[in-house]
Amino acid sequence: MNQIQIDKTFLRRFRPDTRYLIGVSGGRDSVTLLHWLVERGYKKLIVCHLNHQLRGRSSDADARFVEKFAAKYDVDLEMGSAKVRALAAKQKMSVETAARDARYKFFAKIARRRRCRTVFLAHHADDLVETFLINLFRGAGTSGLSAMREVSNRRIGDIDLTIVRPFLGAWRREIDRYVGKHRLKFREDASNKNLGPLRNRVRRRVIPYLEKTLGRNIRQSIRRAALIAAEEENWIQDQLPDATDVDSAAVAASAEEALTVAKLRDSAVALQRRAILQWLRARKITNIGFDVVESVRSLLDQDAGAAKINLPQDRHVRRRAGKIFLE
């Protein structure tokens, strides 16, 4: 079978006669997604391509390829560029993380100008499996393990983006067959063979080693675990406002909003952690790991000696008069 099978009810939520952004790098996956959507009547797509300036002339060639590809399908095009390596060094993060942040900021910029807040991305089931393992090894909870979903929301500055991943249920081999059937041209990224980036090592070394050791294909099982984590994450998010009396919109809008110790203390531990995580993120605190959340949660203990917790970026959380607040 050379067709990519997607749940028919999925795309009914996103009408073909509506305008959407679509991220296109020029690689196999994004080229396939653009072709697949156009074939299904999506004519108001806006192709968004960010030149990361990581591979010199090859990056420039990618941009030219995407420009011609968009013209072939008679869809709008938005181009941008970012010095990702310099951004990574300045912000002390990996090149992969800096590239992702730069792309989402680019999407948000185009979303504001074009008044279109929905972005189609070409992540597929193998990407989901790799992301799950990476986050698992980093000690993530259900929020991290379910980070890649078919439909999710992401706030960039004051822009709320809806991220849509139609191919998240399709495997790389299905995309390969589709490319072959339709004879699609695409740009091959030589850096995918570089074992420096963690994702490439997981893809090319870790997963094959686990499958060889266990004597079975583990991808389907990991994908199933990720889907379960996503459903549980959705349930927790639905429970959060009533359980903690913390309105996330109010937290984001008010610089003086504080967590109420008594309300939070009476909640289940899972909801305590989620409320704290959500509260910190709303206040632009980055690098929030399990240890940070647990440190803040320790302020709920009536017998806690310390009433101050140090956070990244020289910020602090304090407890005073039954309230937890940031300073």
Side-chain angles (χ1 to χ4, degrees):
M1 183 180 295
N2 293 322
Q3 292 297 323
I4 296 175
Q5 301 298 311
I6 301 296
D7 185 351
K8 292 181 179 179
T9 63
F10 177 67
L11 287 181
R12 289 176 189 166
R13 301 167 59 184
F14 304 96
R15 295 167 53 90
D17 57 355
T18 303
R19 181 186 299 173
Y20 302 105
L21 307 182
I22 175 173
V24 179
S25 66
R28 178 190 309 258
D29 304 334
S30 61
V31 162
T32 300
L33 178 60
L34 177 58
H35 181 276
W36 189 84
L37 287 170
V38 170
E39 287 287 297
R40 278 150 187 79
Y42 289 78
K43 304 296 186 181
K44 296 184 179 180
L45 297 172
I46 303 170
V47 168
C48 300
H49 176 82
L50 182 68
N51 185 339
H52 298 87
Q53 300 184 30
L54 289 172
R55 298 184 293 115
R57 293 181 179 178
S58 292
S59 292
D60 295 335
D62 291 345
R64 291 193 297 270
F65 173 84
V66 172
E67 188 173 9
K68 292 179 181 178
F69 199 70
K72 176 181 178 181
Y73 290 102
D74 193 28
V75 293
D76 287 353
L77 174 67
E78 291 281 358
M79 308 282 279
S81 63
K83 297 179 180 179
V84 169
R85 205 175 300 279
L87 290 173
K90 181 179 180 180
Q91 299 178 26
K92 297 181 180 180
M93 60 176 59
S94 70
V95 170
E96 184 181 32
T97 300
R100 183 177 62 249
D101 288 351
R103 283 195 299 275
Y104 278 111
K105 287 179 181 178
F106 174 61
F107 293 147
K109 177 181 176 182
I110 304 305
R112 175 185 285 109
R113 186 164 70 237
R114 293 291 194 130
R115 296 181 180 180
C116 173
R117 304 299 172 91
T118 300
V119 186
F120 282 96
L121 298 180
H123 297 117
H124 47 71
D126 290 277
D127 292 322
L128 173 65
V129 168
E130 293 158 12
T131 300
F132 181 94
L133 287 176
I134 290 171
N135 289 345
L136 177 66
F137 298 152
R138 287 173 173 167
T142 56
S143 178
L145 297 180
S146 62
M148 193 173 286
R149 309 185 203 179
E150 286 185 329
V151 182
S152 60
N153 297 313
R154 190 180 186 109
R155 187 171 182 85
I156 310 297
D158 60 345
I159 299 294
D160 289 312
L161 294 176
T162 297
I163 310 299
V164 184
R165 300 179 173 95
F167 286 177
L168 212 55
W171 298 95
R172 186 177 288 116
R173 62 179 180 273
E174 296 176 63
I175 293 174
D176 288 343
R177 288 197 294 265
Y178 187 94
V179 167
K181 176 185 178 181
H182 296 280
R183 299 181 180 179
L184 299 180
K185 294 182 179 180
F186 59 91
R187 291 283 298 171
E188 192 73 70
D189 187 350
S191 66
N192 287 335
K193 298 179 180 179
N194 177 9
L195 293 179
L198 176 59
R199 180 173 295 274
N200 289 355
R201 296 199 301 275
V202 169
R203 177 185 303 161
R204 302 175 66 87
R205 292 286 178 84
V206 175
I207 293 177
Y209 173 79
L210 290 174
E211 290 185 329
K212 181 179 179 180
T213 302
L214 297 175
R216 56 177 295 187
N217 185 331
I218 65 172
R219 290 173 171 84
Q220 191 63 256
S221 298
I222 294 175
R223 178 176 176 272
R224 189 180 303 115
L227 294 177
I228 292 171
E231 289 300 324
E232 293 182 353
E233 175 70 10
N234 289 338
W235 180 82
I236 291 176
Q237 286 297 104
D238 288 342
Q239 301 300 309
L240 189 56
D242 292 336
T244 63
D245 199 28
V246 175
D247 186 312
S248 60
V251 169
S254 173
E256 298 182 358
E257 184 71 33
L259 294 172
T260 302
V261 172
K263 288 282 187 181
L264 207 52
R265 186 185 290 148
D266 291 339
S267 303
V269 171
L271 294 179
Q272 291 176 4
R273 289 171 176 157
R274 188 51 46 83
I276 292 169
L277 177 63
Q278 183 173 303
W279 184 70
L280 291 172
R281 282 177 173 171
R283 297 170 178 286
K284 311 299 182 185
I285 301 298
T286 59
N287 301 320
I288 307 171
F290 179 78
D291 291 341
V292 171
V293 173
E294 286 299 279
S295 294
V296 176
R297 200 170 70 84
S298 69
L299 296 177
L300 302 177
D301 188 351
Q302 293 176 321
D303 299 325
K308 174 183 174 183
I309 300 297
N310 295 325
L311 295 177
Q313 305 167 316
D314 294 324
R315 306 290 295 278
H316 311 282
V317 172
R318 287 186 182 275
R319 184 195 69 228
R320 183 184 300 136
K323 299 286 186 180
I324 293 177
F325 59 93
L326 190 68
E327 61 178 20

